[in-house]
Amino acid sequence: MISLHDLTKIFPGGVRALDGIDLTVADGEFFALLGPSGCGKTTLLRTIAGLETPTSGKISINDTDVTALPPGNRDLAMVFQDYAIFPHMDVTTNIAYPLRIKKVPRAQRTAKAAEVAARLSLTELLHRRPAELSGGQQQRVALARAIACHPAAFLFDEPLSNLDARLRLEARTFLKRLQRELAVTTVFVTHDQAEALALADRIAVMSHGRMVQVGTPTEIFHRPATTFVASFIGSTPMNLLPARLAGAALHVAGATLPAPAGLTPADHLTYGVRPEYMDLSLTERPDAFPGVISVLENLGTHTLVTLETPGTLIQLVVPEGDEPPIGTPAWAVPRRALIYRDQTLHTP
Amino acid sequence: MSGDAAGLGKGRATAFVLPALVLITVFLIFPALWTIYLGLTDYRLTGLSAANPRIVGLDNYTGALGDPRFRTSLWLTLLYVGGSAIVGQAGLGFALAWILRSRTGAVSRLVEGVVLLSWILPSTVVGFLWFALLDRDDGTLNALLHTPGFAWLLDHPLLSIIVFNVWRGTAFSMMLYSAALENVPPSHLETARLADAGVPQQLRDVVFPRIRRHVLTNLLLISLWTFNDFTPFVLTGGGPEGRSEILPVYVYRVALRDGELGVGAAISFLILLINLVFALAYLRLLRGRNGRREIAAAGGPHT
């Protein structure tokens, strides 16, 4: 278990990279830190590792306060984005490196390296040098090195970002299965929302050194807490449309919709609806956004349709073959929508 | 690859290379050959042999090799190179580079500035500064240590010139190692730190394997420079009683003060041979088995 209490990191020069982070990662949990570059996710991971010193706050791992401990005494293993495999050592020596530092006898650590390597299908490569390995193999060597020393937790910094697209999907499945089997608490950093949704048990979405939302992938996908999270999560961005409240009706992009119960007027009302949660109608409907189809983007099994409505663009996804030609007047019917009051989710 | 990538033709290519070849011949090859020739004669600065030098064969070489003063001087030179270049400059330079790496504060800039300054000052200026520092009666060092009247240059001449040369030449090694350390990926050091590797282990497992070639190049350059360094003459003049008479100073004394140009040329040629041995030994290490492996590793992953 990793707990962070009021963790703040201010870099020399005044940049507040972490701003009062409170977080508990449960035992065996696969936890993602997600956010755009510069949001503080990597700084947070490095602070947990002890590679950065927090300005204030407390870090504990399995109920031991490690805030003041050096990285080597925290019982953590980290896999870096570039894997950090030592080029002058063969695969066995690389995997066994942490054990060598711990003064485990040679025979024992070679056996351990072989055992871990077998699990990651690296047995054939044990005597190779890193330069003779592919990117995917290097990544597995880095994972093997992390596993070999049985740490209390794994920290992964963008573990998949150096792999090409196809290999990345393969590695994702592999990583998820491995983490499940080992059941070791894992915190990983990513800027790829799809990766976070696919891998993590829970996700923390970060922005400007704060945690905007912490929740399961389902919670984060279905109920983004703010418009920032809403726009960040999802492979096609959520439509965020300015709305105006008039009595019990909500005026959005040329449509008049019933306002949810308890909604009071605010400076900024936003109507959020995912492209996947809308239907396309070719006949006029009162509860739908009227417009003209202007762009069609082929997504393979689906098509992303861009509808030009009065004052804004609305995107929705239709199954392949169902897309009408460009220039057709059409109506977008929302099935599932969220209302944001001043950028924050309004829960009716 | 075609034999004529630039498309110049033989004539114009020769014309481009010729000035450089002429300069090298006049200033490097000819003096070297002249030295070899002089070393075989009894040429002197003054007197009859100055007008009519005679070929004496290898007498100068056997004479020099049999002269205890030459052997003492060689030994002093090796101590001087080992102490001031290999241990002093390389060690201190690396230590400074390691401590100052990825630090940007005023202190590190100040240290770098001071170290560089000692390197770029002219030798004679530095010589007088050190004279003032080490002076027996009014020296700064004696004032600092409260040891009035202690004659550093007389009592510890070799140590004095070693410390002097460390002070003077560390900047080069520091700069070279600073650049080399930039080649060490931070994630590799951090991986070692996370495995609880101490600084000696980080240096052994991460840093030195990466900068091995830089280290060898640095050692080659500074040992050759130090071996041929004449600056200590400014401080001690080789004395007292030849106790700081390193080979370049010895050659100077034999050839110019004693006027035995032939013997001086012979010793110069011996110095050249020793330098050659140094250089070949380092190059061999550079091209060694591990060197080749390192080149292969630096080629990066083939994905």
Side-chain angles (χ1 to χ4, degrees), chain B residues 143-165:
Chain B
L144 283 173
L145 298 176
H146 301 293
T147 50
F150 194 90
W152 296 95
L153 292 172
L154 293 180
D155 288 340
H156 300 284
L158 186 64
L159 184 67
S160 295
I161 62 171
I162 285 176
V163 174
F164 165 75
N165 193 44

Side-chain angles (χ1 to χ4, degrees), chain A residues 67-239:
Chain A
T67 319
L69 289 185
N73 295 355
R74 295 188 179 201
D75 196 16
L76 297 169
M78 186 155 170
V79 174
F80 288 87
Q81 191 171 358
D82 61 1
Y83 315 135
I85 303 168
F86 303 140
H88 56 286
M89 298 178 184
D90 64 11
V91 170
T92 304
T93 322
N94 260 295
I95 296 176
Y97 184 73
L99 301 174
R100 184 173 144 205
I101 297 295
K102 290 200 177 76
K103 303 210 162 50
V104 175
R106 178 183 288 272
Q108 210 176 319
R109 61 181 198 244
T110 309
K112 183 73 198 172
E115 179 200 321
V116 177
R119 170 164 216 158
L120 301 185
S121 338
L122 289 168
T123 306
E124 309 288 303
L125 310 173
L126 277 172
H127 298 292
R128 292 231 193 136
R129 297 237 163 197
E132 299 160 345
L133 302 177
S134 73
Q137 290 166 337
Q138 291 193 7
Q139 192 215 26
R140 279 185 281 143
V141 173
L143 281 170
R145 180 171 61 190
I147 294 167
C149 59
H150 285 293
F154 292 132
L155 306 175
F156 297 158
D157 184 9
E158 307 259 5
L160 304 176
S161 64
N162 274 7
L163 301 175
D164 60 56
R166 171 157 292 281
L167 202 57
R168 196 177 304 169
L169 285 185
E170 228 172 83
R172 200 165 81 181
T173 313
F174 172 78
L175 202 59
K176 182 143 188 170
R177 201 187 61 205
L178 186 72
Q179 199 272 343
R180 184 135 305 166
E181 283 170 9
L182 296 170
V184 175
T185 314
T186 306
V187 179
F188 78 102
V189 156
T190 179
H191 62 268
D192 182 349
Q193 54 86 30
E195 204 171 291
L197 290 174
L199 283 175
D201 297 323
R202 274 198 311 151
I203 300 173
V205 184
M206 294 185 66
S207 168
H208 298 295
R210 289 166 184 272
M211 296 206 164
V212 186
Q213 187 174 9
V214 180
T216 63
T218 317
E219 282 164 11
I220 298 224
F221 187 78
H222 286 297
R223 297 190 66 77
T226 68
T227 50
F228 167 77
V229 180
S231 64
F232 198 76
I233 299 282
S235 45
T236 49
M238 187 189 270
N239 294 293

Side-chain angles (χ1 to χ4, degrees), chain A residues 46 49-51 71-73 76 78 80 82 84-89 97-98 100-101 129 131-135 138 145, chain B residues 185-198 201-202 204-206 209-210 290 293 296-298 300-303:
Chain A
R46 293 173 55 83
L51 300 170
N73 295 355
L76 297 169
M78 186 155 170
F80 288 87
D82 61 1
I85 303 168
F86 303 140
H88 56 286
M89 298 178 184
Y97 184 73
R100 184 173 144 205
I101 297 295
R129 297 237 163 197
E132 299 160 345
L133 302 177
S134 73
Q138 291 193 7
R145 180 171 61 190
Chain B
S187 63
H188 289 215
L189 281 171
E190 286 165 354
T191 298
R193 280 172 66 199
L194 277 157
D196 203 18
Q201 288 164 322
Q202 289 175 35
R204 181 195 66 193
D205 298 331
V206 181
R210 275 261 164 189
N290 286 320
R293 266 193 197 158
H302 23 92
T303 34

